[in-house]
Amino acid sequence: MTAMPSFEHTAEVMLPADKLFAYLADPGNLAQLTEAFSVSGAKVPVEAEGEAWLRADRHAKTLRWGSPDEGDDHGRLSVEERGAGQCEVSIRFHTGREGGQNVRRVLAEAVATLTQRAAAETDREAGEHQQGWT
């Protein structure tokens, strides 16, 4: 049996780890993950047709997902505190499908899109609570 290709991307984000993970773990924002993966048109399946699973561990700040019906695709996203108001987000994706050449670029685009949306949401919430710009 051949090992499945793995693809990974890590980025520094200027948000507290708790805020970023809360945004990423919100089921309402998971649809944005599907949208982010389709930004470039590359086929990185995150929306399974059939049986799929998603597990969030809020204590460890990790999300794991997979679909045995879609080439045994699975992934892991983790968020780690790196200092006051900043964190690191890592995403790893394993796939048994062909055509993984664009996956690294798509992962980078997905992380950038999602972290920008999380930052915008955090800024909006801060403004609503009079903690933002004055």
Side-chain angles (χ1 to χ4, degrees), residues 2-68:
T2 306
M4 290 175 55
S6 295
F7 304 93
E8 189 167 356
H9 178 72
T10 300
E12 296 288 323
V13 180
M14 297 304 294
L15 280 174
D18 289 340
K19 291 271 188 189
L20 179 58
F21 186 76
Y23 179 84
L24 296 173
D26 181 333
N29 296 325
L30 292 178
Q32 293 178 2
L33 183 61
T34 301
E35 179 184 325
F37 272 105
S38 63
V39 164
S40 69
K43 293 191 178 205
V44 179
V46 294
E47 189 170 16
E49 295 186 22
E51 197 167 318
W53 54 269
L54 172 71
R55 296 183 187 105
D57 182 338
R58 294 187 187 280
H59 179 71
K61 295 181 188 72
T62 60
L63 292 174
R64 295 177 189 269
W65 68 91
S67 174

Side-chain angles (χ1 to χ4, degrees), residues 70-82:
E70 298 292 325
D72 197 27
D73 297 342
H74 58 279
R76 179 180 187 269
L77 180 141
S78 64
V79 179
E80 294 184 30
E81 196 73 46
R82 290 292 184 228

